Each structure stands twice: as structure tokens, then as C-alpha cells.
Amino acid sequence: MNLKSQQLLFWALQITGWGIPSFLNGYAKYIYNTDPLIKKYLILETLLFFILGIFWTTILRNYIKNYIASFDSLKKDYSKVIIGYVLSSIGYTFTLIGFSYLAFSFILEKNMTLSFGRIVSSAINIFLFVLFWLLFYISIKTLINSKQRHIEYLELESSFKDSQLNTLKGQINPHFMFNSLNNIRGLMLEDVEKARDMITRLSELLRYSLSKSSNSTIKLKEELEMVSNFIALSHIQFEDRLTYKEEIDSNLLALEIPPMIIQMLIENAIKHGISQQKNGGTVHLQVSEIDKNLEIKVSNTGQLENNKESTKIGLKNISDRLRILYGDKANFKLFEEKQTVIAHIQIPL
């Protein structure tokens, strides 16, 4: 809630909060009196009660804002609050009695009888009214501050998540370029034409990667286009050693997923699976919907190599991105089954 909204809320509550008790108190006295002069005085007394109530509690509010560090420090600064409460209540009491005395004298043309008991009774009533106002004000301000802190926390958390995602994305692009450039370097001495073709395809992939690096998610269709380019690029190096198959549910192509997450799994499968097999192998991508979850499976021929540090970095990258975006609702696991390594991602729809 911004400052202007808080000001409007304060004055709305001030007018309503003092208007209702002032009216009820004045009306109760008004209907039991038949003297027209007394009735005229009671109307003026009600207005005085209303105006002075707003005046003195506004002063108390300004005192609290100026001299109390924050509402979180009320427990520590309670003595200042008590001083402000007592002084404003005393000021309210004596100004109300003083102005009421003058109004009474002006309308009825005689002096008001002010007994000690009447002064004490008025003071007790005013102290109670101001106490109720103070407790209500502190409750409202505490609630507003609590909501504001919650909003700030969510904004900070969102900013932190964006920062984490950007850091993780920064790990992806250099990792991808390093592997691709290594492949090009290996081919330069073997086949210049193929190396030139790889450079062209790599530039297309990098252009695509950079254009999507600022997005937290992209459409599955776009990610698959990037995977297709990556596979075509990899085929230049592995030729017949690499077999690629995919099973994609066409109804899921418009769904949003983290960018380059499938590409990383495919890259990992080729680098740590197919490239380690003398006769190559198969990379199989499956994308489907099961129990309102997006299921992504990438399997490859080979064995799971837990000692590969680069594999661990890539897998942690994927796990961290899923955790940041989906919390504990997403799941990622890597396991081996019958000479096949399977990477399985589950994302809630």
C-alpha cells in the first residue's frame, strides 16, 4: 500500500471511528433533554468531541511516526508510546472541557458547574477512547507493515531467483560453446568442409541460444527446433555412430519449459554416452503427459559414469533450475537400466 493510500485510509478511519461514537454519545443525551438551549449545546458539544478527538489522535499519530523508529521496535519504545498517549489524552480532556465550558456559557448565558467528579469522569472516558484508538491504530499499522514486508520478501525472492537463473544460464552457453569448438578443432585437420559446415550450424545455434537466454521459459516447440539443429551438428562428427529417435506428443508443443534443458540432456547423452561407445549408439527423446505432468525422457546407449565431474555440474545445473522455477513440484533423476542411461524430468502442468 503506497503512502497516498495509507493517508486516505487513515482519514477515512479517523472520520468514521470518531464520527460514530460522537454521534451515538450525543444522540443519547439529545433525546433525553427537552430544553432547546440544552439541545443546541449538546449538538455543539458533540461536534467538539468529534473534532478534538480527530485533532489530538492525529497529533498522537504524528508523534508515533516521528519518535518511534518502527513498529517492530514498539516493545522497546513502549515508554514513548505511553508518554504520547497520556499527554494527548490530557490535552484532549482539558481542551474539550474548556471549549465545552465556553460553549455552555455562550448558549445558555450562564456558567457550567465543573465539579471534580465531572472532570475525573470526563478524563476516564477520554482516556478509554484514546486507548481504544491507539490499540486499533497499532493493529492496523502492524497489519499493513506485515503485508508490505511480505510483498518485499516476495519481490526479493523473485529477484534472487532471477539472479540465480541468470547465473545458471551463464553456465550453459560457455559449456555448450566449449564442447562444440572442441569438435570443430578435431575436424579441422580431417575435413575442412565439414568443419566449415559445423561453424555455420554452430553460429545458428548460438544466435538462437543468445536470443532466448533472457527467458525463464520457452515453448517446447522452440526447444525441439534447437535440439534438431544440435543433432544435425552432432551427426557431422559421429556420422553413422549416432542414431537419434524421438517420440513427441504434438499436443504439448505449446507448453513452456526452461530453455536449453532438453538440449543439455541430449548433449550429455552424446558426450558421455555415444562418444564412449566404439560402435556408437542411440539417443532416444520422449516427451509425453502423464498424470498432469510433463514427462521428458532422454535415454542413450552406455553406462552411467558417476565419476565424471562435468556430468555432475551439468546435472546439478538442471536440478537447480527446476528447483528455482518449480520448487519441489518438479523432479529430475538419472539412472541406468539394461545398458541404457536414462535422464528423466517431470514438470507439473
Side-chain angles (χ1 to χ4, degrees):
M1 183 179 290
N2 58 39
L3 185 60
K4 185 177 180 180
S5 298
Q6 289 188 37
Q7 290 284 2
L8 289 174
L9 176 62
F10 171 76
W11 286 110
L13 291 176
Q14 277 286 77
I15 293 170
T16 304
W18 284 106
I20 292 174
S22 298
F23 173 78
L24 293 176
N25 183 55
Y27 183 73
K29 294 178 181 179
Y30 186 87
I31 60 174
Y32 288 110
N33 280 279
T34 56
D35 189 332
L37 291 178
I38 294 293
K39 286 189 173 185
K40 187 182 294 186
Y41 162 74
L42 290 174
I43 293 173
L44 188 55
E45 184 188 56
T46 300
L47 286 174
L48 286 170
F49 184 83
F50 171 71
I51 294 170
L52 291 173
I54 291 178
F55 175 78
W56 283 105
T57 51
T58 300
I59 289 178
L60 177 58
R61 175 231 191 184
N62 292 336
Y63 167 82
I64 291 174
K65 287 177 65 177
N66 292 330
Y67 292 98
I68 306 300
S70 68
F71 274 81
D72 294 329
S73 66
L74 277 177
K75 290 182 179 179
K76 184 172 62 177
D77 296 329
Y78 70 92
S79 59
K80 294 180 181 179
V81 176
I82 292 174
I83 291 172
Y85 160 67
V86 171
L87 291 177
S88 59
S89 298
I90 291 173
Y92 187 6
T93 300
F94 283 101
T95 52
L96 179 61
I97 292 174
F99 281 115
S100 296
Y101 183 88
L102 293 175
F104 187 91
S105 301
F106 177 76
I107 294 172
L108 279 78
E109 297 182 346
K110 62 178 180 179
N111 294 331
M112 177 191 291
T113 302
L114 291 176
S115 64
F116 178 76
R118 182 171 183 175
I119 294 174
V120 171
S121 177
S122 297
I124 291 173
N125 287 333
I126 288 173
F127 268 75
L128 288 174
F129 272 114
V130 176
L131 178 61
F132 290 143
W133 178 92
L134 179 62
L135 294 175
F136 184 73
Y137 175 73
I138 290 174
S139 300
I140 293 294
K141 286 295 291 184
T142 301
L143 180 63
I144 291 173
N145 289 349
S146 177
K147 287 185 176 181
Q148 185 64 34
R149 282 197 300 270
H150 183 63
I151 292 172
E152 290 172 355
Y153 170 77
L154 293 177
E155 290 175 346
L156 182 63
E157 186 178 44
S158 176
S159 176
F160 179 65
K161 285 184 177 181
D162 289 342
S163 176
Q164 284 183 307
L165 281 172
N166 289 333
T167 300
L168 291 172
K169 288 174 186 174
Q171 293 173 5
I172 294 171
N173 291 335
H175 176 72
F176 173 72
M177 286 190 292
F178 178 77
N179 290 336
S180 298
L181 290 172
N182 265 348
N183 292 335
I184 294 173
R185 185 185 65 180
L187 283 179
M188 287 297 293
L189 299 176
E190 299 175 9
D191 193 326
V192 175
E193 287 301 317
K194 283 186 178 180
R196 185 180 293 115
D197 191 24
M198 284 189 70
I199 291 173
T200 301
R201 291 180 180 274
L202 177 60
S203 66
E204 292 175 357
L205 284 171
L206 290 177
R207 187 182 301 112
Y208 179 88
S209 173
L210 291 171
S211 68
K212 300 298 180 182
S213 64
S214 60
N215 299 343
S216 295
T217 59
I218 60 171
K219 292 185 184 301
L220 174 62
K221 181 180 179 181
E222 295 176 298
E223 176 77 355
L224 292 176
E225 289 173 357
M226 184 175 186
V227 168
S228 178
N229 288 333
F230 181 82
I231 291 295
L233 187 64
S234 299
H235 266 304
I236 297 174
Q237 177 185 358
F238 292 99
E239 298 179 334
D240 295 337
R241 293 177 60 213
L242 172 61
T243 300
Y244 175 72
K245 298 190 298 184
E246 65 179 26
E247 298 176 43
I248 311 296
D249 186 341
S250 59
N251 295 320
L252 304 175
L253 294 177
L255 292 179
E256 298 280 333
I257 64 170
M260 300 182 72
I261 203 164
I262 296 179
Q263 182 270 330
M264 285 192 71
L265 293 179
I266 297 292
E267 182 182 0
N268 189 73
I270 293 174
K271 180 181 178 182
H272 300 291
I274 306 306
S275 66
Q276 305 300 318
Q277 306 298 314
K278 182 178 180 180
N279 297 321
T282 300
V283 174
H284 188 193
L285 170 63
Q286 296 169 284
V287 180
S288 59
E289 178 185 350
I290 301 176
D291 297 330
K292 296 183 178 180
N293 287 303
L294 178 64
E295 304 278 340
I296 301 172
K297 285 186 180 179
V298 175
S299 57
N300 64 271
T301 307
Q303 293 80 43
L304 190 60
E305 298 178 324
N306 292 320
N307 61 328
K308 293 285 186 179
E309 190 63 30
S310 59
T311 304
K312 292 179 181 179
I313 293 173
L315 299 182
K316 186 177 186 305
N317 190 307
I318 293 172
S319 297
D320 288 344
R321 294 173 70 201
L322 291 172
R323 174 181 54 79
I324 291 169
L325 287 171
Y326 305 104
D328 58 0
K329 295 179 181 179
N331 184 40
F332 170 61
K333 56 185 177 181
L334 184 72
F335 57 95
E336 182 182 335
E337 189 177 274
K338 298 179 181 179
Q339 300 297 304
T340 300
V341 178
I342 300 172
H344 178 211
I345 291 176
Q346 188 180 70
I347 298 173
L349 295 177

